[in-house]
Amino acid sequence: MTRIPDAVSVASLDTHRLIVAVPNEGPAEISCNLPRTVAADVLRQLADNLDSPAGRCATAILTGHPCPVHDAPGHDDRRPTIPLDPSDIRGALDFNAGRSDQVLASLRDVLLDTETPRDPEQALAAARILFEAHARQIAALVEAHYSATRARWGLSRSTRGLLTGYEGARKIVTAYADGLAAEQALAEGAASK
């Protein structure tokens, strides 16, 4: 038997900034006149709201209201927490890969995640991974500036020192990133034993 809706709502980008339609079958459709980063932030906020106490069990999800059993006063609704793992940090970097500053957005996400417990060693691992990615980002910027300067002015007596300085700076920053990666690999190797 087909369910007939009581009312039909019409939404367009003339009246709404973000429209998400999730049919019973098939892929979801998203229409948006917001910048991608703003729309992603709105969707993250919606996802965070779904993770509230009113969204943890099937009753709460279906009704949109706190569950009388799971969300009753005095009910211990704390979920078991999983400690911070290096793969979480790498996942945040992958998630933010399309952003103009991937490392900054990932650092924001890691700092805002207050539900994941972390000890000093896990925090140090997160710092190593993020600083390594940041150092590689800086090395790529120095390399791009080196290439642009060389393409514009060429290699001459007057540019040789400048270009050598850029190349030296890139090597130093890359070595720093490599050192952080090596330290993190050793730490992860020791933790897995």
Side-chain angles (χ1 to χ4, degrees):
M1 185 165 141
T2 305
R3 181 182 173 278
I4 300 173
D6 297 333
V8 176
S9 297
V10 177
S12 75
L13 291 177
D14 293 332
T15 57
H16 295 77
R17 304 288 309 257
L18 176 66
I19 301 168
V20 178
V22 183
N24 289 335
E25 293 180 14
E29 295 180 35
I30 298 176
S31 299
C32 179
N33 60 9
L34 294 169
R36 277 180 71 103
T37 56
V38 174
D41 288 337
V42 169
L43 292 172
R44 279 191 199 99
Q45 289 173 8
L46 290 172
D48 289 344
N49 288 340
L50 290 175
D51 199 28
S52 69
R56 291 190 185 147
C57 72
T59 302
I61 291 171
L62 290 173
T63 65
H65 300 290
C67 173
V69 174
H70 296 101
D71 300 319
H75 181 77
D76 185 8
D77 62 352
R78 288 176 293 176
R79 292 170 288 168
T81 54
I82 300 170
L84 185 66
D85 186 81
S87 63
D88 298 331
I89 308 304
R90 292 183 183 104
L93 285 166
D94 291 342
F95 179 77
N96 291 307
R99 293 188 177 262
S100 60
D101 195 331
Q102 169 194 25
V103 177
L104 187 62
S106 299
L107 177 61
R108 177 206 58 211
D109 293 345
V110 169
L111 290 176
L112 287 176
D113 180 13
T114 58
E115 292 186 13
T116 304
R118 55 198 73 161
D119 62 27
E121 192 57 41
Q122 292 163 338
L124 184 59
R128 279 191 210 108
I129 293 166
L130 289 169
F131 281 127
E132 176 201 349
H134 185 61
R136 295 200 190 283
Q137 193 177 41
I138 291 171
L141 290 171
V142 172
E143 178 66 28
H145 198 65
Y146 169 89
S147 298
T149 302
R150 184 164 182 161
R152 182 172 182 189
W153 301 106
L155 181 61
S156 66
R157 284 184 187 186
S158 60
T159 61
R160 184 180 311 272
L162 177 66
L163 294 173
T164 301
Y166 285 151
E167 185 61 21
R170 185 193 60 77
K171 287 179 181 178
I172 290 169
V173 174
T174 301
Y176 174 68
D178 291 344
L180 288 171
E183 286 178 33
Q184 183 58 29
L186 287 173
E188 287 180 32
S192 67
K193 289 182 180 180

